Amino acid sequence: QVQLVESGGGLVQAGDSLRLSCAASGSVLSFDVLGWYRQAPGKERELVANIGRGGTTNHVDSVKGRFTISRDNAKNMVYLQMNSLKPEDTAVYYCKGTSPYGNVWGQGTQVTVSS
């Protein structure tokens, strides 16, 4: 089973940028959809953005214009470029891969945005 490992989180100030990376142990093409989710303390995990096998992307309204999901099939990587970060973006960010065989989650990476 392909595993996913996130990296790139950290502590930043409001208005800063971060790029999260998700490395797959095998081919990302084994997944129909790859997505980034986040979970803030006391809240449910929510979708941030996803990208289909063909490159079609979807970003939730709260991050549109600030975050961009992308994938590099040759490197088996998925990225989340986060610009103009806000304190409300503070959460643990997870990478998720969806295939006909089920879902695979990464372990998460913490993003903390100070005001």
Side-chain angles (χ1 to χ4, degrees), residues 92-113:
V92 178
Y93 284 71
Y94 298 89
C95 181
K96 174 188 171 186
T98 300
S99 77
Y101 306 103
N103 298 323
V104 176
W105 289 91
Q107 84 289 349
T109 186
Q110 176 71 47
V111 172
T112 303
V113 185

Side-chain angles (χ1 to χ4, degrees), residues 12-13 20 22-24 27-28 37 57 77 81 96 99-100 104 115:
V12 297
Q13 293 186 334
L20 304 183
C22 174
S27 173
V28 292
Y37 290 71
T57 62
M77 298 288 293
Q81 178 65 45
K96 174 188 171 186
S99 77
V104 176
S115 57

Side-chain angles (χ1 to χ4, degrees), residues 9 20 24 34 50 53 61 88 103 108 113:
L20 304 183
L34 287 155
N50 57 27
R53 187 189 300 274
D61 287 345
E88 51 263 44
N103 298 323
V113 185

Side-chain angles (χ1 to χ4, degrees), residues 18-92:
L18 275 178
R19 188 176 81 156
L20 304 183
S21 299
C22 174
S25 60
S27 173
V28 292
L29 291 175
S30 63
F31 298 110
D32 295 320
V33 180
L34 287 155
W36 285 97
Y37 290 71
R38 66 186 180 186
Q39 187 167 18
K43 295 188 177 180
E44 294 187 354
R45 193 172 298 188
E46 62 176 3
L47 173 68
V48 176
N50 57 27
I51 184 167
R53 187 189 300 274
T56 301
T57 62
N58 171 53
H59 298 78
V60 297
D61 287 345
S62 60
V63 307
K64 279 182 180 178
R66 300 189 299 124
F67 291 11
T68 304
I69 189 172
S70 62
R71 62 192 290 170
D72 186 330
N73 294 335
K75 295 182 178 179
N76 294 313
M77 298 288 293
V78 183
Y79 305 101
L80 185 68
Q81 178 65 45
M82 304 187 296
N83 299 327
S84 302
L85 282 160
K86 303 175 181 180
E88 51 263 44
D89 295 318
T90 294
V92 178

